Amino acid sequence: MTIFGKIIRGEIPCSKVYEDDLVLAFDDISPGAPCHVLIIPKQEGIQNLNDVNASHAALLGHMLVTARRVAELKGVAAGGYRTVLNTGNDAGQSVYYIHMHVLGGRDLAWPPG
Ligand code: 5GP
């Protein structure tokens, strides 16, 4: 069980930004930008993009639609923001429960480190 699995089950608290039937969005505990929100599916068992197939398309699309909603709720939509899914060791993934980062509120360097 990952830390996000415990959050989705309500066993560990989080600072909730948005929730619906499919996803939960909450503030990152160690923010890398003024807005740093994580969006996770309520469906457990997807470690990262390497686990997804066509059956997950609607869920992944919903995560992107949620990112837009989160950006508006956090007031960064107009200024711009970045959505990131880290997949695997080389990308620095540290929690193996698929999650989308939504970062904004400052200039974001490109390419990322
Ligand atoms: P990854 O490196 O796997 O893409 O991102 C994992 C993210 O989860 C990191 O940005 C890290 O700060 C965040 N994180 C790790 N543990 C917790 C936690 O217990 N609560 C919250 N809100 N964020 C966490």
Side-chain angles (χ1 to χ4, degrees):
M1 166 86 60
T2 67
I3 198 88
F4 293 172
K6 292 180 178 172
I7 286 175
I8 212 78
R9 293 173 184 219
E11 296 170 11
I12 289 180
C14 69
S15 172
K16 185 165 71 177
V17 175
Y18 174 80
E19 180 176 15
D20 62 25
D21 288 347
L22 295 177
V23 297
L24 174 67
F26 53 95
D27 291 314
D28 195 292
I29 204 167
S30 179
C35 165
H36 189 172
V37 175
L38 303 172
I39 301 169
I40 64 174
K42 291 192 169 176
Q43 177 182 339
E44 299 182 61
I46 310 169
Q47 291 195 341
N48 58 36
L49 284 178
N50 285 337
D51 283 342
V52 308
N53 55 47
S55 75
H56 300 104
L59 177 61
L60 294 168
H62 187 71
M63 289 171 72
L64 280 169
V65 173
T66 302
R68 186 226 168 138
R69 185 184 294 259
V70 163
E72 288 170 350
L73 289 170
K74 287 290 189 177
V76 301
Y81 54 97
R82 182 172 294 164
T83 50
V84 175
L85 290 106
N86 291 319
T87 302
N89 187 64
D90 283 359
Q93 183 176 7
S94 59
V95 180
Y96 279 74
Y97 185 124
I98 194 167
H99 53 280
M100 181 182 292
H101 298 255
V102 182
L103 296 143
R106 67 167 172 80
D107 284 338
L108 298 165
W110 190 262

